[in-house]
Each structure stands twice: as structure tokens, then as C-alpha cells.
Amino acid sequence: VSGLRRAISAATPVVVFAAAITAVALIIGAAGYDVTEAARAAVQGSMGSGFAILSATLKRATPFLMLGLAVAVAFRAGVLNIGAEGQFLAGAASACAIGLSIGDSAGRAVILLEITGGVAAGACWAGIAAWLKRRFGVMEVVSTLLLNFVALNGVGYLIRGPLQEHTGAYPQSEVLVPAAHLPLLFRGQQLHGGFIFAIALAIAAWWFFRATAAGFRLRAVGASPDAAASAGLVDADRVQMSALVASGAIAGLAGACEVMGVTHALYEGLSPGYGYTAIAVALLGGLSPLGIIPSAILFGALGAGADAMQRDAGVPAEFAAVAAALVVLGVLALPGSARFRLVLRADSK
Amino acid sequence: LVGIAGVDGAGQRELLRLLAGRLAASSGTVTAPADVGFIPEDRLRDAIVPGFSLVENMALHGAGARRGWLDWAALGVATRAAINEFSIRADGAASSASNLSGGNQQRFVLAREFANAPRALVAENPTRGLDVRASRDVLQRLRTARDGGAAVVVYSSDIDELLSISDRVLVCYAGAVRELPCDAEQIGRAMVGAS
């Protein structure tokens, strides 16, 4: 019986994803587009060639994987961090500022400094919400969400002010020198070293939850803060705040990797809502670090396919966002998600 | 074995948590052993995580102080020993706590809190929601702990049960505690401030 339950549990995310894609296909058809042509373009653009897989799907999956892990670390501790988007932007801005100010004067060591800066900025951005909760009891679901807009406008200020490119004509930063770029994994492809970081991070997070006392405390607090405090003498507030800061640090790393590996410059549209999509990625992966790997790749393929659909079949890429939203609704409707609904209810009290 | 009597709101809940180290004193000092076993009234909220396996619930004990790696093999051995020693009806250490009956969940909580032979044990309405047989078993386990040398403090809202198990009885009223003879009538009056 437990084997059957595990099989159903493993198949459920795939069914939810397939149902969301089917629903979007029906909507695309109802909107008057050629569904067959759109599907062909999407499949070709996401997995039709080595370039599509490495330079489109896996490249896009990298921020989803890191941000999905960031969301999962917080959610597993019972903390609703909706601010991965803002923490991602804080990490990206910090890494870019460091990369631009150091340039190639430190050789490849600049990469380490950029990553450190990105991680620290993401942690600090989440730390604001943690402090607000600890000091004033501000619900993190509200503060992290609102801090996203502060971060977005902060980036807008930086690229029109201190970090703007030297001509002052464009709202973006200078381009990072090649020494400050993450190395590419394959010649002629766009997949960068951040993908390896992301996979290593997923494995490390899995091991952390499974094997360490701190990971167990985090899971216990997320599952039942009262039982963790009473039976385990765990400081549940402290664990939750630490999880929020760690979540921000991972999101900051994702932002740093995006700037260093993909855009090589800071600009306003750096994240097309990666931090929000990451919630769907994390939930579809069952908040399991290893489950988030295929989930992120699926969402990477969805994004890559949506771009190809727009380019080759004239179907707006926004339909991919509809699919992501349907995945969230589908996952939340599942019996196994009762815990998250309870967290949401408890948080809204 | 010290019984605590009191009506809801009289302060016994805070007293038990102070003794068990689950509540910090706002003033004064509490002198108690470092490791006090605690059996709270609401086991599903305060004692176990229903969605966790039994071995994970065993790991919950002392989770706040544990550092480094978890020794799942040792925890599995301890869980299986608890299942055998306390006659818990479970499919094994990996079975979910939510699959156990209320009586077996309470036996598991007792087994876990007894596992490290604590010098003191605090129990709050330990038979709440249990059938007669399970209640008898739980009370017997508390007596066994006492006989083994542990200090046992029990609160029960059932006065007859409290008197049947206690060597001494303290009554909480309006935040103050006083000792009375084991007499149901006197205790009943003291609980409502009538004596």
C-alpha cells in the first residue's frame, strides 16, 4: 500500500503539470491560434536540439532551481517567503556592483566576491522581513511581498543613477568584464556554471534536511512549531527567522548567477517574475530539494517553449504564466498540500 | 508522586511548564533537573508531529540541543525498543504517528520521555481521551517511573484519578499552591477557594 501511495505521490506532479499544459492548449485554441503549430514550436524550442536543451531549457531552469530551493527552505520551516523576487534582484544588483567596481583587477577571484556579495545581499533583504517579524510581528507574507517592489524600484534607481552605463542613454549598467562572468559549461552554448551550483545546492539541501540536526529542526518547526518547541525545546521563532535569511541568501545567489552567467549587466527586466514562478516550481517539486530539480527543468522547458511559440507561431508567451498559475492552483488543491493551506490560514489569523 | 489539582485558569498549566522547563519564570527561580520528561495535555499539538514517522518523532526529543548529524540508525534502535517495551501497536519505526490510535500515541510519548531515564517527569492530564485500558496502562507507567526513583508530577482534571495515583496532592488556586491531605472533599473545596 505504501509503495502504491509513493507511486501516486510521484506521479501527481506530472499529472498536474500535464493538466495545466492541456488547459493552456485549450485556451490557446479557443483564442484562435493554431495549437498544433504552437505545440510544435514549443517542443522544438525547448528540447528539439542540443542548443534548445542547453542554451534555452537548462539555462532558464537554473534560476528556477535556485529560487525553488530558496522558497522550499522557507516553506519547509513554515515561513511564507513570497519575496524571492526581491531577494533575487538584491543579489543581482550587489553582484553587478561588485563586478563593475572590481573589474578585472582581481582576476577570476572577482567571481567569488560577486557570489559572496549576492548571497549577502539576498540574506540581508530577507533579514529585513525577519527583523520586522521578530521586532514588530509583521507577517512575513506581507513584508516579503512588499519588499519585492522596493527591490524592483531600487534596481530602477541604480540603473538610472550610480550604476548607469557611461553614456547615460540606457537604463542599464555597464556590461561586466569577461573575468567577472561565470564560465560557460559547453563551447558554443549559453549554459553557465550556475547550473552546476544549482544542482550541487539541491543535493546539499537534500542532505541538510535528511542528515543534519539543524535540517531536522527546520522540518520539525515547519510541521508543528508547538510540538518542536514543547517536545524538542526548539526555539521555533529563531529557526524560522534563520530559514528566512537562508532562503534569501539562496535567492541572492540566484540573482548573482543570473547577472554573472546570462545578462552580464543589470537592467530593469532582469527577472520576468522568476521569484513568483519559483513558488510553483517549489510546490510542484513537493518542496523536496531533489524533486525541485525536475520541476525546475520542466518550468525551464515551459519558458523556452513559450519563447519559441511566440517567435515561431505568433502565440503570446504570457500563456506560459497562465500554465504556471494553473500548476500552483492544481498543487494547492491536492490532499498532500493541506499543510501549506494550514500555514496560510494560520498566517492570516 | 505529586498530584496537582486545580480548576482551569488557576495556574497549574504554568506551574507544570515551569517545572518542565517549557516556560521561563518571569521572576524568581526554578530548581529542577536538566532533563525533565514532559507529557503535555494535547499530544497532537505539543508532543508529536502526526505527519512524521515514529523514528522522526523520537528524534524530536532533545532536537533543540542536538548538533551535527543525526544518527538515524541509533534513533531507529531506540524507537523499536520503545515500541517493544511499551507494547505500542505500530507497523514499525517508519510508520507514521498519525496511523496510531490515541492510546498508542500516548504510550509512544511516554516511551520517548522515559527513554533517557529522566530524574523528573511532568504529566498534564496524561489519560485525556484514552479508553479505560490505555488509561490504566499510562498510570501504571507513571507509578513505575516513581518506583524507579524519578520525581513525578501529575496534573489531572479527574480528582478520583489524581487521588488514586498521588502520594501527595498540591492544590492550585489563584496562582498559589498549597498542600492538602489526600481527601477529595477538602481538595474540591480548596480548588474553588472555599476553604
Side-chain angles (χ1 to χ4, degrees):
Chain A
V1 173
S2 65
L4 181 66
R5 198 175 291 160
R6 268 199 299 274
I8 291 171
S9 163
T12 303
V14 179
V15 173
V16 168
F17 195 81
I21 296 293
T22 307
V24 169
L26 291 173
I27 296 169
I28 289 173
Y33 297 101
D34 183 342
V35 177
T36 314
E37 180 63 16
R40 193 196 60 74
V43 170
Q44 190 66 28
S46 60
M47 58 186 92
S49 63
F51 185 84
I53 292 170
L54 296 172
S55 297
T57 294
L58 293 186
K59 185 182 81 173
R60 272 178 167 269
T62 302
F64 288 146
L65 178 46
M66 287 192 191
L67 289 168
L69 291 169
V71 169
V73 165
F75 279 30
R76 289 287 288 263
V79 180
L80 290 175
N81 178 15
I82 312 296
E85 180 81 1
Q87 294 141 20
F88 175 92
L89 291 173
S94 172
C96 187
I98 290 169
L100 290 174
S101 58
I102 294 177
D104 50 12
S105 62
R108 298 296 270 182
V110 67
I111 290 178
L112 200 61
L113 296 172
E114 287 172 301
I115 287 174
T116 307
V119 168
C124 288
W125 206 251
I128 296 171
W131 178 76
L132 287 171
K133 176 147 191 178
R134 188 102 176 175
R135 180 73 180 79
F136 300 108
V138 178
M139 287 187 298
E140 77 280 1
V141 68
V142 174
S143 57
T144 53
L145 177 67
L146 294 179
L147 280 166
N148 288 342
F149 300 104
V150 179
L152 189 61
N153 286 296
V155 167
Y157 162 74
L158 288 174
I159 57 176
R160 288 181 183 81
L163 290 185
Q164 190 169 22
E165 48 82 30
H166 71 281
T167 67
Y170 303 103
Q172 69 167 71
S173 72
E174 293 286 0
V175 175
L176 293 170
V177 296
H181 296 184
L182 279 176
L184 297 175
L185 295 180
F186 300 96
R187 191 188 297 272
Q189 302 287 354
Q190 295 169 16
L191 186 63
H192 55 83
F195 183 70
I196 302 294
F197 279 157
I199 295 287
L201 197 62
I203 294 168
W206 169 78
W207 172 81
F208 170 75
F209 283 130
R210 185 182 171 84
T212 70
F216 179 76
R217 266 196 296 279
L218 193 147
R219 286 199 293 129
V221 166
S224 173
D226 290 326
S230 178
L233 292 175
V234 175
D235 184 343
D237 284 346
R238 189 188 172 104
V239 168
Q240 288 191 321
M241 295 309 99
S242 304
L244 179 51
V245 171
S247 169
I250 298 170
L253 173 66
C257 288
E258 192 68 4
V259 159
M260 296 159 64
V262 180
T263 65
H264 302 141
L266 188 67
Y267 56 87
E268 232 159 17
L270 184 76
S271 167
Y274 286 150
Y276 301 109
T277 307
I279 296 170
V281 172
L283 290 177
L284 190 70
L287 300 187
S288 153
L290 297 185
I292 290 170
I293 297 175
S295 174
I297 292 172
L298 270 178
F299 272 88
L302 182 68
D307 279 353
M309 213 163 62
Q310 178 158 308
R311 191 177 57 237
D312 300 337
V315 179
E318 280 70 20
F319 282 112
V322 176
L326 289 175
V327 165
V328 174
L329 291 174
V331 170
L332 283 175
L334 294 172
S337 301
R339 187 152 58 93
F340 312 122
R341 291 198 297 272
L342 283 173
V343 169
L344 280 164
R345 273 207 295 275
D347 215 57
S348 64
K349 279 179 188 170
Chain B
L1 199 155
V2 178
I4 306 283
V7 294
D8 281 351
Q12 69 272 15
R13 182 182 162 81
E14 289 73 19
L15 174 65
L16 293 175
R17 279 162 179 72
L18 279 168
L19 291 173
R22 267 65 178 177
L23 185 68
S26 55
S27 65
T29 54
V30 177
T31 306
D35 184 24
V36 182
F38 182 48
I39 297 144
E41 180 172 349
D42 189 342
R43 62 180 162 271
L44 288 176
R45 192 190 66 190
D46 294 329
I48 58 172
V49 179
F52 274 12
S53 65
L54 292 181
V55 69
E56 286 175 312
N57 273 291
M58 184 60 84
L60 204 56
H61 184 80
R66 202 173 285 128
R67 296 287 174 267
W69 324 128
L70 283 169
D71 186 348
W72 287 114
L75 286 164
V77 170
T79 307
R80 282 187 289 276
I83 289 172
N84 290 333
E85 197 181 327
F86 280 72
S87 308
I88 298 165
R89 288 191 182 177
D91 291 337
S95 63
S96 171
S98 61
N99 291 341
L100 268 58
S101 67
N104 281 303
Q105 285 173 346
Q106 192 70 332
R107 281 195 192 99
F108 176 79
V109 174
L110 259 73
R112 184 185 65 193
E113 298 303 308
F114 283 9
N116 297 323
R119 288 172 58 202
L121 200 69
V122 175
E124 182 182 32
N125 260 332
T127 60
R128 181 186 166 204
L130 303 187
D131 60 33
V132 175
R133 192 173 151 206
S135 297
R136 202 167 50 222
D137 191 31
V138 165
L139 295 177
Q140 186 52 45
R141 295 283 179 185
L142 293 174
R143 285 191 195 98
T144 307
R146 174 199 60 190
D147 297 342
V152 182
V153 179
V154 180
Y155 163 74
S156 174
S157 51
D158 180 340
I159 296 296
D160 293 334
E161 178 184 276
L162 194 72
L163 291 175
S164 75
I165 190 176
S166 303
D167 302 314
R168 297 166 58 199
V169 175
L170 304 179
V171 176
C172 270
Y173 177 73
V177 178
R178 66 176 168 138
E179 183 168 359
L180 287 175
C182 293
D183 175 70
E185 203 178 316
Q186 273 195 61
I187 290 169
R189 280 203 303 272
M191 282 169 64
V192 294
S195 67

